[in-house]
Structure formats: structure tokens, C-alpha cells
Amino acid sequence: MLPGSLAPRQQEHLVHLASVMPFEHASSILNDLLGVYVSGETARRLSEQVGKHVEHVQTTQAYLPDKQEAILRFKALRLAMSADGAMVPLVGGEWAEVRTLAIGEVPATGATNTTLATVHVGKLSYFSRLSDSATFIDLAEVETRRRHLVGAKEVCAIMDGAEWLQGMIDVHRPDAVRIPDFPHAAEHVAKLLEALSAQGTCFPENLLQRCLHVLKERGPATLAKMAAGLSEEEISQPEVREHLGYLQKRCSQMQYLFFRQAGWPLGSGMVESANKLVVERRLKGPGMRWERHDVNPMLALRNGICNERWQETWQLASSQRRKERRHLRCQRAAQRLNPLSASGGFCITPHTHQLKQGRGKKRLHLR
């Protein structure tokens, strides 16, 4: 991959280690295992370069036309998608939001299911980037295409209330079953009751538990009737209006009994755990500060590890590195053939080369 004393296999081991632990620790473990010493700075430089290669290839793939012929055999899949953000520290005391998309398979559920057991999503994969929402939605195409999200028979999207998340569903799977994250909705119900209690309204002690039970078992209709009985004075309070507006806007989507009967999960725990597993475990350690341009290369490596695609990720980086080296060799060769072209001087062209060969032949014939 890089010029230096490390063999390609040793470079791979070093980058692999540096993707799961701090750079100094990775170089120390490489020394303990293989007897090869490198500095933490070398581990950082190599890891960031490899990550940039992977990021470049994935960004290119995200904007390539999709190949529809490979989708038909995935029609039977039931997939769940969820996206969210996590904050990472940058140099200078700034914090930036890393967005992550999680996609997983939902077990098939029979029509006679009456147990309404908790649904566990399996075979999870992740895609993370530090970018604005519009760019992230475009770049996530590389993972949605790999998981055949468009070709899946059924898809649910479990999201919180952010508007960019609804836009993401519109782009990648507009017909997905949209499920507002139940813990997020429960939080708004709790804050609504707290705001009303602060104004002097008296509620039973276990009202919150009863409201959440009704919301999950019967749907939002009962709570909507309770909200309709609020006075104008109560609704005019900013906190009440904020949380009540959130619930009213998504009332038609909070059909949690129907979602449970259909075998869909109700919470976005898949992406909440992804924030901790993919992003925070490596990029949010004690005392860590990252340059903004180094975050996405590390995220590309973290995705490769957490998706259990490390060998594929390393091959992407190796292939991109070889392409760049071939390109540099071609540039150097062109400069050697035309040493004066850059300065605007005389340049040897094929035409002048033929003229020189012809003159030489003529002089040889005269002799």
C-alpha cells in the first residue's frame, strides 16, 4: 500500500487494529504480536489514507446507476431501516453530528400470530458519514443498494421526528411502513403530562403508564380524545403546544397495535446501538479530538469492521491505491517524454520524430 518497511500484510494488520483502538495501542499490539515496531503517528497516517481510499470508492459507487437485474431474487425479504445521528468531538472544541443508517432483516410472521412477541431485527449492517442530511441521503445509496432495499418485498422505517429522516424514506423507499419510534413518542407523552402538571393540572400517579399502555395496545385514538379536551389556555403554553403538536402531527402513523400484529419492531434500538458500536466506541474516547477531514475515513473503516466486511474493505482500498499509483506512473512517463511541455518550450511530437527518422535514412542512403 505505502512505501516503507511494512509488508502489505503488516499494513493490513496495523490498519485493522487502529480501526478498533487508539493508534498508540494499535502500534504497541502490532509490536507485541509480530515484533514490528511502528509509531502511533505512522498508524494514524496509514489508517487515514486507507480510509480515504475506501471513502472515495464508496462515494463513486453511490452515484453509479443501479443494476436492477439482481434485485428480483430478493423479493421475499422483510427489511427494517432506521437512521439517527451521534455527536463526535473535533479539534478546537467543536462537535459535529455523524449520521448513521442501520438496515436489518425482520423475521417473517404468520397471519395467525397472536402472541405479539417482541421483534428482533437480525443481520444488521451500517453506513455512517459526517455530512449534511442531503449528502448523507445520497451517499447511503451504496448500502441500500447492497442490501437490496428497493427490491425487498416489505420494508419498515423506524424513525424519530426529524424532517430529514422522512426525506430519506421518500428517496430510498417511499412505500415503506413508517413507524414513529415508540420510546421517542413516549418521551413526548411524558413531557406533555409534565408541562400540564406544572400548570396545576392534577393527574393520577400512574397516568403515564396507562397512557403508554393504551397507545401500544389500542392506538392513538383514545389519547387524541383526551387531548381534544384540553382548554385553550392549556394549549397556549409553549411546552404543551410543542409536545402536543408533535403527537398530533404523527397521530395517523402511531398505529402500534397494527405494527405489532404485522410483526414489525416498534423501536429504533438498531440505530441507537449502531451509534455506540460504530461511532462512539472508536471516535468518542477520552481526550479524543478529530480533524473534520479525518472523520469519514475512520467511519469507512469502522463500517467495514462492524459489517463484517473487512477483507472487502481492504481490497477496495488496495485497488484504489493501485489505480492512483498507475496514474502517477503515467504522468511521470508523459513528463519524461515531453520534458519541456510544462514550460511551453519545444516538444517532441510524433510528427517531428518521423521527420528526424526520415532525415537519418536519407543521409544513410547518400553515404
Side-chain angles (χ1 to χ4, degrees):
M1 291 289 296
L2 287 177
S5 59
L6 291 180
R9 189 65 172 172
Q10 294 170 342
Q11 294 181 25
E12 179 183 352
H13 291 326
L14 179 60
V15 175
H16 199 165
L17 289 171
S19 300
V20 298
M21 64 183 67
F23 300 121
E24 294 290 344
H25 294 174
S27 60
S28 176
I29 290 192
L30 184 72
N31 187 20
D32 293 339
L33 294 178
L34 303 179
V36 177
Y37 173 77
V38 293
S39 64
E41 178 62 21
T42 299
R44 182 197 62 80
R45 186 178 66 253
L46 179 59
S47 300
E48 291 172 355
Q49 182 170 2
V50 172
K52 288 178 182 178
H53 293 327
V54 179
E55 180 192 2
H56 175 78
V57 174
Q58 291 179 342
T59 301
T60 303
Q61 291 176 349
Y63 292 100
L64 291 177
D66 195 4
K67 296 182 179 180
Q68 299 291 337
E69 65 273 9
I71 289 180
L72 296 178
R73 56 195 181 94
F74 290 88
K75 283 289 187 181
L77 288 181
R78 301 178 84 229
L79 297 179
M81 60 180 293
S82 186
D84 198 8
M87 305 302 291
V88 297
L90 303 181
V91 174
E94 183 184 359
W95 289 77
E97 184 180 22
V98 170
R99 292 176 167 85
T100 297
L101 169 68
I103 302 176
E105 290 188 14
V106 180
T109 303
T112 59
N113 179 29
T114 59
T115 61
L116 300 181
T118 303
V119 178
H120 297 282
V121 182
K123 297 183 179 179
L124 291 167
S125 65
Y126 315 104
F127 180 81
S128 306
R129 284 294 184 272
L130 172 59
S131 66
D132 60 86
S133 58
T135 303
F136 178 78
I137 291 173
D138 291 338
L139 295 178
E141 178 76 20
V142 69
E143 187 61 26
T144 60
R145 185 181 301 170
R146 170 185 285 277
R147 296 303 302 268
H148 301 276
L149 190 73
V150 174
K153 185 177 181 180
E154 295 177 290
V155 175
C156 76
I158 314 164
M159 306 290 187
D160 62 24
E163 293 296 334
W164 74 270
L165 295 173
Q166 300 302 315
M168 186 171 194
I169 303 173
D170 294 336
V171 170
H172 293 290
R173 189 65 192 250
D175 63 334
V177 179
R178 306 188 185 214
I179 304 176
D181 176 43
F182 184 80
H184 198 75
E187 182 180 357
H188 281 276
V189 173
K191 291 182 177 180
L192 175 61
L193 295 179
E194 290 178 4
L196 292 172
S197 298
Q199 298 179 19
T201 306
C202 296
F203 296 114
E205 184 177 353
N206 61 345
L207 180 61
L208 176 59
Q209 289 75 14
R210 290 169 55 186
C211 288
L212 297 183
H213 176 77
V214 169
L215 180 60
K216 181 180 288 187
E217 299 294 336
R218 302 180 189 176
T222 303
L223 298 184
K225 292 180 181 179
M226 295 174 58
L230 297 176
S231 65
E232 294 184 1
E233 181 181 356
E234 291 174 325
I235 297 177
S236 63
Q237 299 300 319
E239 292 186 2
V240 174
R241 185 169 59 251
E242 175 188 354
H243 302 296
L244 183 62
Y246 175 90
L247 296 172
Q248 289 177 336
K249 183 177 181 180
R250 294 159 182 82
C251 185
S252 61
Q253 296 181 358
M254 295 181 179
Q255 306 300 326
Y256 293 113
L257 178 60
F258 167 77
F259 300 146
R260 296 173 66 202
Q261 291 173 341
W264 295 119
L266 303 184
S268 59
M270 54 190 290
V271 73
E272 297 292 343
S273 61
N275 286 334
K276 298 177 181 179
L277 174 67
V278 180
V279 181
E280 296 178 355
R281 183 173 295 183
R282 180 62 185 90
L283 278 74
K284 207 174 179 181
M288 288 186 180
R289 294 291 184 270
W290 298 86
E291 295 285 353
R292 179 177 290 270
H293 57 77
D294 293 331
V295 173
N296 281 339
M298 290 304 301
L299 291 174
L301 298 178
R302 291 294 298 167
N303 287 152
I305 290 176
C306 297
N307 293 339
E308 298 182 358
R309 303 178 196 149
W310 174 253
Q311 289 301 321
E312 177 184 337
T313 301
W314 181 257
Q315 291 301 323
L316 284 179
S318 301
S319 176
Q320 180 63 23
R321 175 60 180 172
R322 287 193 293 268
K323 289 181 180 178
E324 291 186 0
R325 294 182 67 179
R326 285 196 298 267
H327 180 69
L328 290 175
R329 284 198 297 267
C330 291
Q331 285 186 331
R332 295 192 189 103
Q335 292 174 357
R336 286 194 296 267
L337 289 176
N338 300 313
L340 299 178
S341 60
S343 60
F346 178 74
C347 177
I348 300 177
T349 63
H351 178 67
T352 57
H353 183 63
Q354 291 178 0
L355 289 177
K356 289 185 176 182
Q357 288 182 338
R359 293 171 183 171
K361 292 180 179 178
K362 187 174 182 181
R363 285 196 297 267
L364 180 63
H365 177 71
L366 293 175
R367 288 180 183 177

